[in-house]
Amino acid sequence: MKLLITGGAGFIGSNFIHYILEKYPDYEVVNLDKLTYAGNLDNLKDIEDDARYKFVKGDIADEKVVGEVVKGVDAIVNFAAESHVDRSLYDPGSFIKTDVYGTWVLLEAVKKFGIKKYLQVSTDEVYGDIETGFSKESDYLNPSSPYSASKAGGDMQVLASRRTFDLPVLITRSTNNYGPFHYPEKIIPLFITNCLEDKELPVYDGGTQIRDWLYVLDNCRGIDTVLHKGTLGEIYNIGANQEPEITNLELTKTILKLTGKDESLMKHVTGLRPGHDQRYAVDCSKIKALGWKSEVSFEEGIKKTVLWFKNNEEWWKKIKNGEYLEYYKKHYKS
Ligand code: NAD
Ligand code: TYD
């Protein structure tokens, strides 16, 4: 099987490529990535000479490039996206271009070149926040940020392509991931690396919010399950269903403890995330019926993740002293 993986130089995409090449010795992978600030070929250094792997720099919104890379491909897994809620407040247009228009370009290629399967990697954030209970795949979409609204727009294109053109599509909607190669702008890698550098941890809006932290390998296994066993046209939630649920404040205290730092590094801030979603939680019974379940507990996953960041200082320091620093100065210090 030959897979086109888009956005494979980012956090989840690069973990997925490693996972696929290891699990399926006879699979080939083409990775199409624009290499935005979040795309990082350092994530794939160990496999760059693997004969089963090929990297192509390009934009999913570019029909010409997409038309070239889909040749001979059996399935597409689309990870490519602008993915950070905070950045979507400053530059929503780039989110719409990639997450909506780019998705449409890929679907057009599925139609034109008769690709056998297309899997859209989406997010639980399309449901909006949910005070109690669990979002189901059939729930209406109620996104809060330009990021989640763009992802919802992408999902709608995928679903419409099924109904109108009978395209062979699937959607996964996972909860927040964490693990190796996580760009240090999202809360877990930002707070771990800030602790390691003795920098402040900006806790937004009292830290009462809840996310259902899913270890990235569990998501990779989930996407693999849906790709191979899912019913075309269906959506599958993927979540850890953590018990008990963890607030951002509890998460922050766990990270402080695991890095040996004290709570004086915590800095409460407000106003940085208007429209801040309070809680996400998803019902995973559909994917569980395909035989998937999350295997890594939060306790285990967060320890592994802290260790990975401790052992890969060069990887994250390059980012934090470069692009991330520029972004931070522009939006938080001016
Ligand atoms: P990321 O920001 O780390 O990586 C995104 C990758 O896409 C980068 O390599 C970037 O260069 C590439 N890219 C961006 N625009 C592109 C374009 N126009 N053409 C080609 N490549 C482009 O994101 P991530 O955290 O790995 O997320 C991957 C996918 O999973 C996204 O679709 C995201 O919405 C979804 N998702 C993420 C999470 C999470 O917690 N990180 C949770 C649920 C769903
Ligand atoms: P984030 O990692 O950006 O993921 P998402 O917004 O997609 O869920 O944020 C997770 C939670 O952490 C969210 O409630 C916002 C909060 N947060 C902070 O408190 N401080 C920070 O510096 C960041 C980046 C996020």
Side-chain angles (χ1 to χ4, degrees):
M1 173 121 115
K2 186 169 175 180
L3 293 180
L4 171 62
I5 295 182
T6 57
F11 163 46
I12 308 176
S14 60
N15 275 284
F16 188 71
I17 292 175
H18 281 110
Y19 166 89
I20 287 288
L21 291 177
E22 207 176 305
K23 177 159 177 199
Y24 302 103
D26 56 334
Y27 277 29
E28 286 173 62
V29 167
V30 178
N31 173 17
L32 174 67
D33 197 298
K34 188 179 170 183
L35 297 184
T36 67
Y37 77 92
N40 186 351
L41 292 180
D42 289 351
N43 302 0
L44 299 153
K45 255 194 180 138
D46 55 327
I47 53 157
E48 64 190 10
D49 295 326
D50 190 320
R52 297 172 300 145
Y53 169 72
K54 186 180 164 199
F55 171 70
V56 179
K57 184 174 187 298
D59 190 334
I60 59 161
D62 180 340
E63 285 170 57
K64 202 164 160 257
V65 173
V66 171
E68 279 159 21
V69 294
V70 293
K71 282 181 194 143
V73 156
D74 300 296
I76 301 176
V77 184
N78 178 28
F79 291 90
E82 289 295 338
S83 71
H84 189 36
V85 173
D86 291 346
R87 289 188 195 238
S88 78
L89 309 177
Y90 304 114
D91 182 21
S94 64
F95 285 70
I96 294 162
K97 275 187 205 141
T98 292
D99 304 6
V100 187
Y101 185 81
T103 298
W104 172 77
V105 171
L106 293 175
L107 292 167
E108 281 295 294
V110 171
K111 184 164 45 148
K112 190 168 166 193
F113 297 98
I115 306 297
K116 292 194 238 22
K117 253 183 213 180
Y118 174 90
L119 189 150
Q120 173 80 352
V121 178
S122 188
T123 165
D124 62 348
E125 301 193 26
V126 298
Y127 299 115
D129 52 4
I130 178 166
E131 238 172 77
T132 54
F134 300 90
S135 301
K136 286 180 86 81
E137 290 86 347
S138 53
D139 283 0
Y140 76 99
L141 304 188
N142 190 23
S144 315
S145 70
Y147 162 63
S148 48
S150 303
K151 291 297 289 183
D155 285 14
M156 290 303 189
Q157 290 298 327
V158 175
L159 295 172
S161 79
R162 175 72 184 166
R163 165 108 185 219
T164 305
F165 304 116
D166 203 26
L167 295 192
V169 295
L170 296 150
I171 297 178
T172 61
R173 291 184 180 148
S174 88
T175 57
N176 288 61
N177 287 214
Y178 67 105
F181 304 118
H182 204 179
Y183 192 90
E185 64 182 350
K186 310 278 168 67
I187 190 170
I188 289 185
L190 178 69
F191 281 15
I192 294 173
T193 57
N194 278 10
C195 280
L196 298 177
E197 292 184 298
D198 282 312
K199 288 185 177 158
E200 281 175 346
L201 314 182
V203 176
Y204 297 173
D205 306 318
T208 57
Q209 300 73 23
I210 289 167
R211 301 291 183 266
D212 180 32
W213 294 104
L214 179 68
Y215 192 66
V216 65
L217 263 185
D218 275 338
N219 192 22
C220 292
R221 288 186 200 108
I223 293 167
D224 176 20
T225 303
V226 172
L227 182 67
H228 291 95
K229 297 189 192 161
T231 303
L232 295 180
E234 293 293 317
I235 303 165
Y236 295 87
N237 289 338
I238 311 180
N241 291 142
Q242 271 177 317
E243 275 181 31
E245 292 183 335
I246 294 170
T247 64
N248 289 344
L249 202 58
E250 286 160 338
L251 168 69
T252 306
K253 288 181 181 171
T254 303
I255 292 172
L256 283 164
K257 203 165 159 204
L258 289 174
T259 52
K261 304 292 166 165
D262 68 61
E263 294 186 12
S264 61
L265 280 184
M266 254 187 341
K267 186 185 170 201
H268 283 280
V269 294
T270 54
L272 291 182
R273 187 171 292 196
H276 195 173
D277 278 337
Q278 183 60 29
R279 173 179 177 269
Y280 304 130
V282 292
D283 180 317
C284 299
S285 38
K286 256 177 96 171
I287 191 169
K288 282 186 178 155
L290 298 181
W292 176 91
K293 63 176 173 37
S294 101
E295 288 174 20
V296 182
S297 68
F298 179 71
E299 206 186 4
E300 182 191 347
I302 194 71
K303 278 188 195 146
K304 278 184 168 175
T305 304
V306 168
L307 193 63
W308 189 87
F309 278 89
K310 278 186 180 164
N311 291 338
N312 289 276
E313 207 174 276
E314 206 186 321
W315 181 89
W316 57 263
K317 281 213 161 149
K318 196 163 144 190
I319 297 170
K320 283 186 99 175
N321 295 330
E323 192 281 338
Y324 178 77
L325 191 62
E326 291 310 307
Y327 161 77
Y328 183 82
K329 278 191 210 149
K330 191 165 162 202
H331 296 294
Y332 297 106
K333 289 283 180 198
S334 52

